[in-house]
Amino acid sequence: MCGIIGYVGPRQSQDILLAGLSRLEYRGYDSAGIAVIDGDGQLDMRKRAGKLAVLRDDLESTPMPNGTTGIGHTRWATHGGPTDANAHPHLADDDKLAVIHNGIIENFAELKSELVGDGFAFRSETDTEVAAVMIGREYARTKDLVQAFRSVVSRLEGAYTLLAMHEDHPGLVVGARRNSPLVIGLGEGENFLGSDVAAFVEH
Ligand code: GLU
């Protein structure tokens, strides 16, 4: 289980996410990624296998739009090797939804075969993408992100800290935890989520 950070507030989030992930590096990891909802209300995502420096270099050479709502992740692979495709965030609902996850979803194989049977395709070998696709499917049906997230996490077994955001809801990051830590930082006009307080302690 590695690192998670989420941010909602008035500040541009990319630097907050990258700084938070760098303070979580001590936990060990093999890949890193971030997603933000930019000023035009569009979700942008970048993820890379390897050290955080690989992601930083990539963002410096090909900048991504910034935004005030964002999530960041460092991964320690449990399901699928340390590749760009398996790194988090995982996208669903026509790439409008981004999900990050620490932990292991023990019943992912049975949930995945249900989704494959319904015609959903997968871009990674992770257990996490199964949760992302399920949340996307439920959101597409209900248009209620909190309810979609809640109904999916209630079907997941194992250990998880999960964060999700959707471009229809530019000021919202939803989170849940089970057998895995999630710390909430309530600020003035801004809020943080982290797998560890180190993620946002400087704020
Ligand atoms: N089980 C997930 C994966 O393999 C998350 C691992 C983690 O906690 O970083 O992608």
Side-chain angles (χ1 to χ4, degrees), residues 29 42 58 74 77 81-82 88 94 103 116 148 158 173 182 189:
Y29 64 102
Q42 194 162 341
D58 193 276
T74 47
H88 303 206
D94 295 329
V116 169
V173 174
L182 173 62

Side-chain angles (χ1 to χ4, degrees), residues 1 3 42 63-64 69 71 80 82 95 100 109 119-120 126 146 170 196 201:
M1 291 186 200
Q42 194 162 341
M64 183 177 99
T69 299
I71 56 179
D95 295 349
I100 56 177
F120 287 93
T126 63
V146 173
D196 177 327
V201 70

Side-chain angles (χ1 to χ4, degrees), residues 1-2 73-80 86 88 90 101-104 126-128:
M1 291 186 200
C2 283
H73 187 264
T74 47
R75 174 175 190 241
W76 190 311
T78 64
H79 292 65
N86 288 334
H88 303 206
H90 292 283
H101 164 226
N102 278 171
I104 292 175
T126 63
D127 49 344
T128 307

